[in-house]
Amino acid sequence: MTLEETREFFANDIYATEQTDIKIIEIAQNFSKCELEISRMHMNADNKVMGGVFYTLADFAFAVATDAKNTKTVTTSATISYLSPAKGKKLIAECRMIKEGKTLCTYETVIMDDAGTKNAVIISNGMHLA
């Protein structure tokens, strides 16, 4: 799929694209780059970006990276390590393949803010659907 076709397909992910406002910036084989502008709706009671926002961004980037090659993949497990609160105005997720098998795969997503702070690292495991 092209970048535009990928954006059109994932526009159907209403929660990620409309509610959370995630944008697909770049795709390549086994790779995606997605971002979101941090707004008041992303904040927790302590005025920090809520942990679920990081996870949603990572899960969406994983879906884009794995589905960009026209292989439907579902997350079977994911582990997130929160490293530092966001200091910038934007979160950027880069998702890359670590291992690819016939039915299972593992990807790493690194989330940074636009101030250069590494915020989270997520390891996602998935299963390709027939």
Side-chain angles (χ1 to χ4, degrees):
M1 281 197 280
T2 67
L3 180 59
E4 284 309 313
E5 290 169 332
T6 301
R7 287 177 174 156
E8 185 177 317
F9 175 78
F10 280 100
N12 293 315
D13 189 332
I14 303 301
Y15 181 74
T17 60
E18 290 184 22
Q19 294 298 311
T20 311
D21 204 25
I22 299 171
K23 307 282 189 253
I24 301 169
I25 303 305
E26 184 181 340
I27 61 166
Q29 186 170 357
N30 303 315
F31 171 83
S32 73
K33 182 176 182 179
C34 300
E35 66 181 30
L36 67 82
E37 296 282 335
I38 298 170
S39 72
R40 190 170 94 66
M41 74 176 177
H42 299 118
M43 300 303 187
N44 63 18
D46 195 31
N47 202 34
K48 304 275 192 266
V49 176
M50 177 151 235
V53 173
F54 293 103
Y55 182 81
T56 298
L57 178 57
D59 193 52
F60 186 75
F62 173 72
V64 173
T66 58
D67 288 356
K69 57 185 183 243
N70 296 319
T71 303
K72 302 297 178 235
T73 304
V74 295
T75 305
T76 57
S77 66
T79 303
I80 186 166
S81 296
Y82 297 100
L83 306 174
S84 182
K87 296 179 174 73
K89 298 179 192 251
K90 186 185 294 187
L91 294 177
I92 302 130
E94 291 191 4
C95 182
R96 288 179 172 79
M97 187 261 302
I98 295 173
K99 176 145 177 50
E100 188 77 35
K102 288 183 181 180
T103 56
L104 302 176
C105 62
T106 302
Y107 282 65
E108 177 186 64
T109 304
V110 175
I111 299 178
M112 297 184 70
D113 62 28
D114 59 338
T117 305
K118 190 182 279 189
N119 308 113
V121 176
I122 302 88
I123 302 296
S124 301
N125 297 296
M127 181 173 61
H128 302 303
L129 304 176

